[in-house]
Amino acid sequence: MKVLGISASPRLKGNSDLLLRQALAGAESAGAKIEYVRLAELKISPCIECNACYKTGRCVIEDDYQMLIQKVIDADRLIFATPIFFMAVSAQAKLFIDRCQCLWANKYVLKKPPITNDRPLGGRRAMVIAVGGSKSKKMFDSIRLTMKYFLDCLDMHYQANLFVNKIDTKGVIEAHLSAANEAYRLGRDLALPATPLSEKPFDVELI
Ligand SMILES: Cc1cc2nc3c(=O)[nH]c(=O)nc-3n(C[C@H](O)[C@H](O)[C@H](O)COP(=O)(O)O)c2cc1C
């Protein structure tokens, strides 16, 4: 069981990053092999909408995207953590997500088989962590929608969300014990093969 954690915050040990580390610790406690990647340390250019991928299913831009998408394809589980920026995912997250347009093309234009390496859809699952500073709850709507379509392109079942609001200053999430506990629990459950597939994402909202 390989679990990949992608941290989309520009802040090292920012709030979403710390929750991701808790979730990965939970996955490791369930026996998974974990890997952590920080988008802010990678060079990922924006999608240039050249549509070359409509012919090949592959992105023509050679940068760290190519390495990261291979890790995502090889993973059995994905934990994607983002801060809320202007009611949406961070810029670092959006750069990576948009480059996955080639997977959309692979699936819906070229109608090629899924990129699941012969593993069934339920075998590849993902959870999302998002943290916002304000008391708004609406900001999580945009995360749900973006991640639904993103995970569909990745052929990953959208298993769970952990959403936390009113968390702003860097690192204050460390004092939020229930958020840390939920991240650990959801990460562990995600990595346990016996955890039933959720019909729609199982939500934990600490708001
Ligand atoms: C550019 C920017 C935009 C932000 N936009 C929002 C927002 O729309 N709603 C909100 O609740 N918080 C917003 N915030 C606050 C962050 O979501 C908050 O500080 C969060 O804890 C950051 O998570 P991180 O430490 O994982 O990066 C914004 C912060 C920045 C820097």
Side-chain angles (χ1 to χ4, degrees):
M1 173 73 66
K2 284 190 204 163
V3 180
L4 176 66
I6 297 183
S7 180
S9 173
R11 296 201 285 205
L12 179 64
K13 300 199 176 169
N15 298 311
S16 56
D17 187 69
L18 288 170
L19 288 183
L20 171 62
R21 288 163 194 259
Q22 284 293 329
L24 286 172
E28 197 168 33
S29 78
K33 183 168 176 279
I34 57 163
E35 187 172 1
Y36 164 91
V37 176
R38 209 173 144 243
L39 290 177
E41 288 169 6
L42 304 182
K43 291 259 175 296
I44 299 182
S45 311
C47 171
I48 54 170
E49 214 177 357
C50 64
N51 293 355
C53 61
Y54 284 34
K55 295 199 177 78
T56 62
R58 192 177 183 281
C59 183
V60 292
I61 304 173
E62 294 297 336
D63 61 11
D64 289 337
Y65 168 80
Q66 304 292 354
M67 169 277 292
L68 183 54
I69 197 61
Q70 195 54 53
K71 285 186 190 295
V72 172
I73 290 169
D74 291 342
D76 302 295
R77 303 286 190 268
L78 174 67
I79 308 177
F80 194 97
T82 181
I84 303 281
F85 282 180
F86 281 88
M87 309 301 268
V89 296
S90 70
Q92 287 80 358
K94 195 62 166 59
L95 285 174
F96 177 63
I97 291 169
D98 286 357
R99 289 285 296 286
C100 292
Q101 175 73 348
C102 58
L103 300 179
W104 180 88
N106 193 63
K107 189 170 180 177
Y108 292 109
V109 179
L110 300 171
K111 301 191 191 309
K112 284 199 192 161
I115 49 147
T116 50
N117 292 347
D118 298 328
R119 284 165 294 170
L121 175 62
R124 284 169 39 84
R125 307 184 195 190
M127 76 173 260
V128 174
I129 296 170
V131 181
S134 74
K135 64 177 174 19
S136 166
K137 298 176 192 168
K138 284 206 160 167
M139 57 199 175
F140 300 115
D141 294 348
S142 81
I143 302 298
R144 282 181 216 282
L145 205 52
T146 300
M147 297 313 291
K148 177 172 185 267
Y149 287 91
F150 171 55
L151 294 172
D152 176 69
C153 287
L154 299 181
D155 283 304
M156 282 191 140
H157 179 79
Y158 194 170
Q159 181 76 13
N161 286 309
L162 173 58
F163 294 147
V164 190
N165 73 350
K166 291 192 271 182
I167 296 291
D168 210 356
T169 308
K170 181 180 173 185
V172 303
I173 197 76
E174 276 182 312
H176 196 316
L177 291 185
S178 51
N181 289 341
E182 288 297 330
Y184 187 92
R185 183 179 70 80
L186 289 171
R188 184 198 58 204
D189 290 355
L190 187 74
L192 289 171
T195 301
L197 278 181
S198 55
E199 205 171 298
K200 52 181 191 165
F202 174 76
D203 281 346
V204 174
E205 297 185 348
L206 301 175
I207 54 184

